[in-house]
Amino acid sequence: MTSEPEPGSQEAAPTDIDALMRAVADGDRDAFADLYDAVASRVYGLVRRVLRDSGLAEEVAQEALVEVWRTAARFDPSRGSAAGWIFTIAHRRAVDRVRAEQATVDRERRAATANVPCDDLIEEVTARLEQQAVRRCLRTLTQLQRESILLAYYGGLTYREVADRLGTPLPTVKTRMRDGLIRLRDCLRVSWG
Amino acid sequence: MSDIHTLAGAYALNAIDDMDRARFDRHLAECPACAAEVAELTETVAALAEATAETPPVGLRSAVLDRIDRTPQLRPETRRTSGRRPLPRRRWLAAAAAVVALGGAGAVGYVIADQSRPDAGTRADTEARRIAAVVGAPDARMRTTATDGGRVSVVESPSLDEAVAVLTDLPAPGTGHAYQLWVIRDRTPQSVGVLATGRTDATELVSGVRGAQAFGVSREPSGGSTTPTLPLVAQLPLG
């Protein structure tokens, strides 16, 4: 963690990413190289956060980015931003890998394998949020909403695992994830709108 | 609002297992409002990717650009629907089921992987690759049992710790009932998936089979049960 980059320093505005994505969908390799430069730090960082292993993260980030190229024509801009689509692909790849690895150890040990203390995880990612709006909006959530969302997303946990970890009933965690995200959405909408 | 709808948040966060995902995918296909909510929440979740940005290893850029030079792109889908729709997955899995049923283990793995390209979505693609890997694994082993006019087969790869279960032409489970899949370890059944109500054919990837003694199928009320209703509809040894 000694040589952390400045997250966000290479980020392109969302609209640029959308435009690049359209060119990539037409098979434009130069546009893909630009798209890589615009999103790679977030794709790699997210995957590494979930997998907690640099070597594995490099492999999975590569798979995710190649998948972006391969399936670019399937991206539907009416359903959301290109950046959102790309990060969803990356996150799912990482989570799939975590769960495949976990499937090879005893099921009983599953909860124990994701053993990052949740307070540390939440504190760290909150501290690193460059986007002031996201950080501020996360503060408007209840503690349980925030913990449920951040543990699931950055920890790659299922809501069942989150419920176990937080010692909270399953239906409560499910509901808090949803209403927490709705509150976050509404807050971000005001901030960016 | 149905109870399953509360899964929208967990779904957008990828915080659900394959069984819940399949359940929710079916729900999304019938609920445009839910699909819209999931799209918005997915967008919200993506904002969280800002927090973990980190300079990637130097080799990643050239490795990715190298690979895209060798990777053909998929054509756009003719229907502008999403990969979340269950239809393409089902269609794909039907093809896989046919291949597994006909060929069993062996070189057919390649055929499966190849067929998945034209119309499978992201998720189905990942699953397709894993199914193909199991079926094509050198140590893959298939067991089959007949049951009331239908058939249940399991292709298992101990080295991959995964299995593919293929259910073919099972009798209709009856109104409000569904088939549920189980892995039995130390005499304890553990649910590995519930089919849609009334569904009689399926191909399902089952992870974590190492050390398990048996695979079972039971008939349950829709949505599944926490322990299987006996007698089992079918049971096959594992390991």
Side-chain angles (χ1 to χ4, degrees), chain A residues 90-111:
Chain A
H91 187 256
R92 189 174 290 187
R93 284 267 176 167
V95 164
D96 280 350
R97 183 63 75 98
V98 164
R99 293 182 194 158
E101 304 272 313
Q102 283 174 341
T104 65
V105 303
D106 289 343
R107 297 252 171 180
E108 290 72 26
R109 286 174 51 209
R110 281 185 68 150

Side-chain angles (χ1 to χ4, degrees), chain A residues 67 70 79 81 107 154, chain B residues 43 48 84 122 125 207:
Chain A
E67 187 174 332
R70 201 171 66 78
R79 295 183 53 243
S81 71
R107 297 252 171 180
Y154 298 117
Chain B
E43 200 66 21
L48 297 173
R84 292 194 181 94
T122 299
D125 230 10
S207 294

Side-chain angles (χ1 to χ4, degrees), chain B residues 106-116 132 136:
Chain B
V108 291
Y110 175 74
V111 178
I112 291 178
D114 208 39
Q115 282 178 346
S116 74

Side-chain angles (χ1 to χ4, degrees), chain B residues 64-110:
Chain B
V64 169
L65 296 183
D66 265 8
R67 272 187 62 184
I68 70 144
D69 279 339
R70 292 179 277 118
T71 307
Q73 291 182 299
L74 296 183
R75 290 185 304 272
E77 281 169 317
T78 43
R79 285 182 313 137
R80 298 293 280 189
T81 55
S82 75
R84 292 194 181 94
R85 291 250 181 180
L87 187 61
R89 179 170 177 271
R90 283 219 194 107
R91 195 190 308 145
W92 186 88
L93 289 174
V99 174
V100 171
L102 287 172
V108 291
Y110 175 74

Side-chain angles (χ1 to χ4, degrees), chain A residues 46-105:
Chain A
L46 176 60
V47 167
R48 201 178 83 88
R49 157 54 64 193
V50 174
L51 292 169
R52 296 183 212 104
D53 178 300
S54 307
L56 208 53
E58 186 170 359
E59 184 188 322
V60 171
Q62 185 183 134
E63 285 171 10
L65 288 160
V66 171
E67 187 174 332
V68 166
W69 162 261
R70 201 171 66 78
T71 58
R74 303 281 168 93
F75 165 64
D76 180 355
S78 71
R79 295 183 53 243
S81 71
W85 183 73
I86 292 167
F87 301 144
T88 301
I89 288 177
H91 187 256
R92 189 174 290 187
R93 284 267 176 167
V95 164
D96 280 350
R97 183 63 75 98
V98 164
R99 293 182 194 158
E101 304 272 313
Q102 283 174 341
T104 65
V105 303

